[in-house]
Amino acid sequence: MLKELIYGNTRTYLIKGKKGYLLIDTDWAGTLPQFFKALKKLNITVQEISHILVTHYHPDHMGLAQDLIDLGIKLIVIDVQKDYIHQSDYIFEKEGNQAFKSIQDDMVLVLSCNTSREFLSELGIDGEIVHTPGHSEDSVSLILDSGEAVVGDLYPLEQIVLYDSSILIDIWDNLLGRRLNWIYYAHPLPDNVSAWSSIEEYKLSLS
Ligand SMILES: [Zn+2]
């Protein structure tokens, strides 16, 4: 159900809905040709992508957002992300990235986590979007009822003991409590987490 689309340093994902694919994340600004090439390899056309969700607005996750909007793909912005969609603009400006297009605020589709299940269900995707801060304030994750979760740059379970952060522990407790199978990160490899249903269980497995 989930397809990996890699054309740079970020793992992006495609989830098939009834109206087209939902794309999770993009890579750096200027990678549009590579994006098209990678799509072609999967035998998918850009017209088959209906929506995009950016897990958080760091430059290696949102670089092509406006390019994709211009191609007719709708950008879903969660309300907790609204104040952050321009936080990476200065990075592209600083590197003199000619390809970068700043997101046009009036072209995005703002949703809340609470209404995400209903919205996704209209797309034919069973799941919800949850706020998973920690790596950044605006980080969100897509949790599918199939037991797969796309979490962007959320710090992996294995690192929880290093960070000792109550926010992270709560997020992971919530994720594991949903009896997930696979966690899909934007950088490390996907991880099978089906063995644990809580942080407590996970910690016990380490001892
Ligand atoms: Zn990041």
Side-chain angles (χ1 to χ4, degrees):
M1 176 160 170
L2 215 136
K3 286 183 206 290
E4 211 174 54
L5 183 76
I6 304 175
Y7 51 96
N9 296 317
T10 305
R11 286 170 190 274
T12 77
Y13 297 95
L14 286 159
I15 292 125
K16 199 175 177 138
K18 62 183 180 202
K19 293 177 182 169
Y21 286 95
L22 166 64
L23 172 66
I24 312 289
D25 282 334
T26 79
D27 211 297
W28 206 266
T31 56
L32 200 58
Q34 292 93 315
F35 169 79
F36 282 127
K37 229 184 245 173
L39 262 191
K40 203 173 175 195
K41 263 194 192 155
L42 292 180
N43 262 320
I44 295 172
T45 63
V46 73
Q47 290 80 11
E48 290 175 82
I49 304 173
S50 65
H51 292 79
I52 170 173
L53 173 72
V54 172
T55 57
H56 62 293
Y57 284 79
H58 282 169
D60 54 336
H61 293 260
M62 57 70 68
L64 297 181
Q66 186 60 41
D67 291 288
L68 300 184
I69 293 173
D70 291 343
L71 287 166
I73 299 171
K74 293 193 175 63
L75 172 65
I76 302 168
V77 173
I78 302 302
D79 51 8
V80 294
Q81 301 183 305
K82 254 184 84 183
D83 295 340
Y84 297 90
I85 64 174
H86 293 293
Q87 68 172 352
S88 293
D89 290 15
Y90 82 99
I91 294 172
F92 295 118
E93 276 160 30
K94 226 166 107 183
E95 72 167 16
N97 192 319
Q98 301 289 323
F100 176 66
K101 292 183 189 166
S102 180
I103 294 170
Q104 280 183 250
D105 298 67
D106 57 346
M107 290 178 89
V108 310
L109 189 70
V110 181
L111 275 194
S112 71
C113 286
N114 290 339
T115 56
S116 64
R117 174 169 289 278
E118 209 185 317
F119 180 84
L120 290 171
S121 128
E122 281 166 25
L123 302 183
I125 294 169
D126 295 323
E128 61 183 304
I129 298 164
V130 298
H131 188 205
T132 48
H135 171 74
S136 69
E137 268 308 308
D138 63 329
S139 288
V140 300
S141 298
L142 173 70
I143 317 283
L144 299 171
D145 293 350
S146 56
E148 297 159 301
V150 184
V151 299
D153 284 352
L154 178 69
Y155 297 118
L157 188 55
E158 293 73 28
Q159 292 180 15
I160 249 197
V161 277
L162 302 176
Y163 289 106
D164 191 33
S165 137
S166 62
I167 297 175
L168 266 185
I169 288 177
D170 284 351
I171 290 170
W172 272 106
D173 226 17
N174 178 299
L175 291 180
L176 294 177
R178 293 168 186 256
R179 304 285 8 203
L180 299 177
N181 304 313
W182 285 90
I183 302 282
Y184 293 87
Y185 298 102
H187 301 295
L189 289 169
D191 195 5
N192 186 326
V193 292
S194 57
W196 311 287
S197 66
S198 68
I199 284 289
E200 213 38 54
E201 270 186 33
Y202 173 69
K203 280 188 174 165
L204 278 175
S205 77
L206 299 178
S207 55

